[in-house]
Structures are given as C-alpha cells and as structure tokens.
Amino acid sequence: MACVCEASRYVLYLTAQHPVFPPDVHLADVTHVVLAFMKSSSFIGNSPSTWEPFTSVESVRAKFPKNKKVNVMIAIGGWGDTNGFSAAAASQMGRKAFAENVKAMLDFTNADGVDLDWEYPGGNGEDYKQITNSEKSWEVEAYPKLLAEIRTAIGPDKIMSAAVP
C-alpha cells in the first residue's frame, strides 16, 4: 500500500475574544489563519454593503513576513450559532442567497477562503435542549447541498473548510 502525504498545514484561529498572536517564532510554521466568527444569520437575505470581521485580512497578513504566503480565512458560525445555517439550508433559494453572500464577503474582505462552522447539521449544537434532533433531521440531507452551492459561488480557487462531527 502506498501513502501520499501532503505538506503539513498549521492553522491559527483568531477570535474577537482572544485576538492574540503567538510569538514570531511560533508563527513561522503557520500556513492558515482563520478569523472567527461571523454570525451565520449575516448571510441570509440581501447582502450588506460592507462586511466587518473583527479585524481585517490585511492586518493579519501584516503580522507575517512579506515573503511568506499565509492563507487568511473567515469562519462563519461557531458553537451555538445554528439558526442562520438552518434558515439558509431549508430551500434552494436560501442556499443560493447564503452562498452568494459568502462570495460577496470573501470578495469584500479579500480573504482566501471560508470555514463553515455549523455545529452540527441535524445533530444540534448549543440548542440541544430546545430543539430535538428529529426536528432537525432534514438538515443532514440539506447540508451537502449548501456546501455545493457555496463551492459553486466562490469557485475552485477559494479555500473551503468545515467543522464536521
């Protein structure tokens, strides 16, 4: 059996609650930075004229040497943020609008990609006490449709990652 390994990826999550960069010596191996989190409900309906993550993509890139390529991504969702994803995934029109808004946000911020942090379709996140799994089981089939719509909207050159159970 042959095994092909890709180059290692080192991801740094920055959150508005803890926007702390490690010392420069630890940044040397970082390949991706994920700015977390934008609310999933921000991507429903009409696209806002501006997108405001807690810090700019450019300010993150400035933390690294000019000759180092670091991919900066923006995370949507996070633990307890399921409602926007659920609303978007419920219909083809909702999925398309959500995906187009993700593309608009990536274009506006100049980010290299998106991290979709829906925890978890059909499995409940923090709302597990209010909404039973049976009420959300439809999300399991809708989830890959939402991902496919986002991939189509952002194109093959943007990075897309997702939290999965």
Side-chain angles (χ1 to χ4, degrees):
M1 173 165 90
C3 179
V4 177
C5 297
E6 290 187 35
S8 297
R9 293 182 194 113
Y10 297 93
V11 179
L12 170 65
Y13 268 77
L14 287 180
T15 67
Q17 297 84 2
H18 305 285
V20 178
F21 273 85
D24 289 349
V25 68
H26 297 296
L27 289 177
D29 292 328
V30 171
T31 57
H32 296 71
V33 177
V34 180
L35 304 180
F37 294 94
M38 291 186 82
K39 292 278 187 201
S40 63
S41 58
S42 302
F43 295 86
I44 296 174
N46 294 332
S47 177
S49 58
T50 63
W51 297 91
E52 303 287 333
F54 74 92
T55 189
S56 72
V57 170
E58 289 76 23
S59 68
V60 171
R61 287 197 173 115
K63 299 281 188 187
F64 294 87
K66 299 247 185 272
N67 63 343
K68 180 166 176 57
K69 170 66 172 151
V70 174
N71 292 297
V72 181
M73 301 168 64
I74 298 187
I76 300 170
W79 185 251
D81 184 5
T82 62
N83 292 339
F85 289 114
S86 295
S91 70
Q92 172 59 32
M93 192 168 67
R95 291 187 294 270
K96 186 168 184 58
F98 191 93
E100 288 173 356
N101 285 335
V102 169
K103 180 183 183 340
M105 179 273 298
L106 292 176
D107 290 345
F108 183 85
T109 61
N110 200 29
D112 298 301
V114 63
D115 177 61
L116 301 161
D117 202 348
W118 181 1
E119 299 180 26
Y120 293 103
N124 291 18
E126 198 171 76
D127 64 0
Y128 70 96
K129 291 182 180 177
Q130 292 84 29
I131 304 171
T132 64
N133 283 347
S134 62
E135 291 178 48
K136 295 181 112 186
S137 62
W138 65 270
E139 293 176 348
V140 173
E141 289 184 27
Y143 182 59
K145 293 175 184 176
L146 179 61
L147 293 180
E149 196 70 48
I150 294 167
R151 171 50 72 202
T152 298
I154 68 173
D157 296 330
K158 293 290 186 182
I159 302 166
M160 193 166 101
S161 64
V164 293

